[in-house]
Amino acid sequence: MISSFGIRNAVGLVVLAAPTLAHAGGTFTVITEQSGVGALRDSQPDDWWVSGLHLIDLDGDGHLDLFLSGHGGGSLAALNDGTGVFTAAPGTIPPTELLLAADVNEDGMVDISATYVDGGAQWWLNTSTPGMLGFEATEITREGNTGRAQVLADVDADGDVDWLRGHFYGMSIDLGDGTGAFETDSQVQMFGEEWPSLLPADLDADGDPDLVWVTGGYDYPPGATRILRNDGGLAFAEITELAGIPADNSVVSGVVDVDQDGDVDLITHTDLTFPHRVWLNDGDAHFEELVGAVSGDSGGSEYASWGLATAVDLDHDGLVELVVDGKHYLKILRGTGGGQFAYANDDWGIADIAESSVDGGFAFGDIDDDGDLDLVAYEEIYPVRQLVVYRNDLAVGNWVRVRAVGLAGRKVAPTAKISVHPAGQDSLIGHAQLSIYDKQAQQPYYAHHESERHFGIGSHDNVDVSVHFYPSFKLVTVEDVPAGSLVRIGEDGRGVIVPPGGGTGDGTSGSDGADESSGDTQATSAASAASDGASSGGVGLTSGGLADDSTGAAGSHDANADGCGCTSDRKPAAIAVLVVVALLRRRRTHHFER
């Protein structure tokens, strides 16, 4: 199954597990004081309600900064010096809770949707410069209790990002105009339960974003789940029973690919009991529980609908872990292969505790720029909320960072699918879908101004990386990406590799594409596939970096022949032909191999 390409069972292709490394017995190290986060927390009142933890590049210097949401006001931002040391940031920030972080006006800086009134939402545009924060409040506001859960997705397939909001009377779809503005309540929909959280993902491999509609809370602690299939034209059909997911007494916590086969699986918190349950997708939005998928965890919780589950490879062995929080727990579940996981908090030195009273129990990202993912969490909760920073000292394998850059109007590339293969091979060793959403003050990933995902690749030294964009259905591949690199892949068919040691920070310079100051940056591009679905004979090279659609800027250095960007803009029905032909050709030709 290669559902990331929108096809299934193409000529019997087999998805193989990634070669993994023996677990080295490493752990996480507490560095709260060394990181400066201890002093930041101590600078606030004892009863400061820290309701959300966020790692975001706030000032555009390439380093992940720290935003601490304050419930009811009093938020705090701290800048990262690139080594994982944070200091209070000068300038202005939204004073309330951070809900979404994304570059909605496409100027190369991360903007913020923050709490407005009580449970509403307001967009703040980022005008920061390195070392000085600046955020300007816009008139894009939604009143109280209409923005507790938010999604960015192109639900009408017009090429512009739309804004979805879950609230007390259902779900509003605010259609976007491609410039960061959204029409209020273009459509309001209801599927039986109010106050939904919305988790977007292409569940049936047809390219468009479907929705998982989750409810619960104080009135119904066990919660409920509805699966909504996107039928186009802003129409969603409930298919919960057909999908095979429990509708009641069960909440979907995560939409992730746990077995790394190219489709989106589901994680549920069912009957208020641990462990969490894993539901594998057959690629058509039919799910079957993998019984006993999580070992070493037991007990239960008071409420099911708080928190999120996200998948990321913390130890770089080529198998994803699950990071799951709730009220008031934080589970680190180490991947053991095939969608199986083992409780790892004790072995890895991470406290099983989270605030999550308003959905905000953890944040992760590479804070010290050493290539692995660190963790910010809670050490104590109510009445005195204390934070803890964990440095990752357990990673044993290699990694790559991948950015998907859409065209103008959708540069955050929602619903794009990233696939990672061993160089020159067809087996799938990494897969992630760009689902951009929040549950109140909790997001599933860290944030740069471009959508990024981090992949552990085990013992592989080089990989091929593909991004399948929506709604263009264009497939763009960059081959032979070295371990330890950042690769930026554009819907315009261009790719940029920033190799280990190349560039500064994240290898980019705001909205100007690749960092022109680094001579190590490699830029490649490709001609579109010919009308018969196969390459028309070779690929083109550019003389610049990844184009920025808002400015037309590109790097000025010469491209070299390290890797290729191979593109196709075929719809799913035609992509099957393209992929089969491409795989056959791959045995005979090599695109700019090293």
Side-chain angles (χ1 to χ4, degrees):
M1 163 187 321
I2 315 179
S3 60
S4 60
F5 297 151
I7 64 171
R8 292 174 290 278
N9 301 322
V11 294
L13 294 176
V14 178
V15 176
L16 303 176
T20 60
L21 303 174
H23 192 252
T27 187
F28 283 82
T29 303
V30 174
I31 59 165
T32 311
E33 298 308 318
Q34 300 95 306
S35 69
V37 172
L40 289 166
R41 174 61 188 91
D42 291 342
S43 70
Q44 303 301 305
D46 287 346
D47 62 353
W48 185 37
W49 190 340
V50 189
S51 55
L53 315 175
H54 321 274
L55 286 170
I56 301 168
D57 181 8
L58 295 169
D59 64 347
D61 66 352
H63 306 305
L64 289 173
D65 306 306
L66 182 63
F67 191 104
L68 302 175
S69 286
H71 186 60
S75 292
L76 176 67
L79 297 180
N80 184 353
D81 70 355
T83 69
V85 176
F86 297 90
T87 55
T92 60
I93 63 170
T96 54
E97 290 163 318
L98 187 155
L99 302 175
L100 274 182
D103 181 10
V104 291
N105 67 347
E106 302 187 349
D107 66 349
M109 299 295 289
V110 179
D111 307 307
I112 288 176
S113 173
T115 300
Y116 179 74
V117 194
D118 180 16
Q122 179 176 29
W123 279 101
W124 293 66
L125 297 183
N126 191 338
T127 60
S128 303
T129 56
M132 176 62 70
L133 297 188
F135 284 86
E136 295 181 355
T138 73
E139 295 182 0
I140 304 174
T141 60
R142 302 297 183 260
E143 295 302 317
N145 289 326
T146 64
R148 292 185 180 272
Q150 303 177 34
V151 170
L152 292 180
D154 185 0
V155 291
D156 59 354
D158 68 347
D160 296 329
V161 173
D162 307 310
W163 188 21
L164 282 64
R165 297 176 288 113
H167 46 68
F168 66 93
Y169 55 91
M171 172 182 69
S172 285
I173 300 175
D174 295 356
L175 296 179
D177 67 357
T179 70
F182 303 94
E183 178 185 14
T184 305
D185 294 339
S186 304
Q187 187 174 112
V188 179
Q189 299 188 8
M190 186 68 179
F191 287 90
E193 291 84 16
E194 59 189 16
W195 295 109
S197 293
L198 307 169
L199 285 67
D202 178 14
L203 301 175
D204 54 3
D206 65 352
D208 57 28
D210 308 302
L211 291 173
V212 179
W213 176 293
V214 172
T215 58
Y218 296 111
D219 294 333
Y220 184 35
T225 292
R226 302 291 180 262
I227 306 297
L228 308 182
R229 184 185 63 216
N230 188 338
D231 286 342
L234 302 184
F236 290 86
E238 186 188 338
I239 60 166
T240 312
E241 183 176 357
L242 180 64
I245 293 294
D248 299 310
N249 300 322
S250 186
V251 166
V252 170
S253 303
V255 286
V256 291
D257 186 355
V258 299
D259 54 355
Q260 296 160 270
D261 66 348
D263 54 29
V264 176
D265 309 304
L266 302 179
I267 310 300
T268 67
H269 187 25
T270 302
D271 296 328
L272 294 174
T273 60
F274 302 138
H276 286 74
R277 301 185 185 184
V278 173
W279 300 79
L280 299 183
N281 190 349
D282 71 353
D284 280 318
H286 303 138
F287 297 87
E288 182 174 352
E289 183 181 0
L290 182 61
V291 178
V294 179
S295 62
D297 192 21
S298 62
S301 70
E302 185 179 1
Y303 297 94
S305 61
W306 274 267
L308 287 177
T310 191
V312 66
D313 190 353
L314 294 172
D315 59 1
H316 292 168
D317 66 350
L319 301 172
V320 294
E321 275 70 59
L322 291 178
V323 182
V324 190
D325 75 322
K327 186 180 175 74
H328 295 281
Y329 60 84
L330 174 63
K331 310 289 184 183
I332 308 297
L333 307 177
R334 180 170 63 88
T336 58
Q340 303 274 348
F341 300 89
Y343 181 79
N345 287 63
D346 297 336
D347 289 343
W348 285 356
I350 297 173
D352 192 341
I353 187 171
E355 173 60 20
S356 289
S357 56
V358 285
D359 296 293
F362 69 87
F364 65 85
D366 183 6
I367 65 173
D368 50 6
D369 288 345
D370 65 351
D372 52 30
L373 297 174
D374 311 297
L375 183 67
V376 183
Y378 287 86
E379 185 176 57
E380 297 179 35
I381 54 174
Y382 179 85
V384 178
R385 296 165 174 86
Q386 294 289 353
L387 306 180
V388 60
V389 180
Y390 298 101
R391 185 184 66 217
N392 188 340
D393 291 329
L394 58 81
V396 296
N398 295 329
W399 56 272
V400 293
R401 294 162 57 193
V402 182
R403 292 191 179 181
V405 184
L407 297 177
R410 57 176 184 270
K411 291 190 71 175
V412 295
T415 321
K417 302 166 189 176
I418 303 171
S419 301
V420 181
H421 305 259
Q425 301 181 36
D426 304 326
S427 56
L428 184 64
I429 61 171
H431 172 262
Q433 189 172 134
L434 292 179
S435 297
I436 304 173
Y437 66 100
D438 73 274
K439 287 184 71 177
Q440 297 200 101
Q442 178 77 68
Q443 297 81 39
Y445 228 81
Y446 60 80
H448 288 282
H449 74 281
E450 295 169 342
S451 297
E452 178 177 303
R453 293 297 180 264
H454 184 107
F455 295 89
I457 57 174
S459 59
H460 295 290
D461 294 322
N462 297 82
V463 293
D464 299 340
V465 182
S466 299
V467 178
H468 187 211
F469 292 93
Y470 177 82
S472 69
F473 293 96
K474 180 171 287 186
L475 178 68
V476 186
T477 296
V478 176
E479 296 182 352
D480 221 17
V481 177
S485 298
L486 163 69
V487 58
R488 301 171 65 226
I489 298 178
E491 194 173 1
D492 61 1
R494 300 183 183 187
V496 174
I497 299 173
V498 181
T504 60
D506 61 1
T508 66
S509 54
S511 62
D512 291 333
D515 183 356
E516 299 175 26
S517 65
S518 171
D520 294 327
T521 303
Q522 304 164 12
T524 63
S525 183
S528 297
S531 58
D532 63 357
S535 171
S536 58
V539 297
L541 289 176
T542 73
S543 59
L546 188 65
D548 185 300
D549 293 304
S550 64
T551 64
S556 60
H557 53 275
D558 290 335
N560 60 37
D562 291 327
C564 81
C566 311
T567 70
S568 168
D569 55 5
R570 300 294 162 199
K571 298 296 187 287
I575 290 176
V577 177
L578 171 64
V579 173
V580 172
V581 172
L583 291 177
L584 293 174
R585 289 174 58 87
R586 193 176 198 171
R587 297 291 175 257
R588 303 193 300 270
T589 63
H590 301 277
H591 302 297
F592 302 109
E593 64 181 2
R594 294 186 185 280

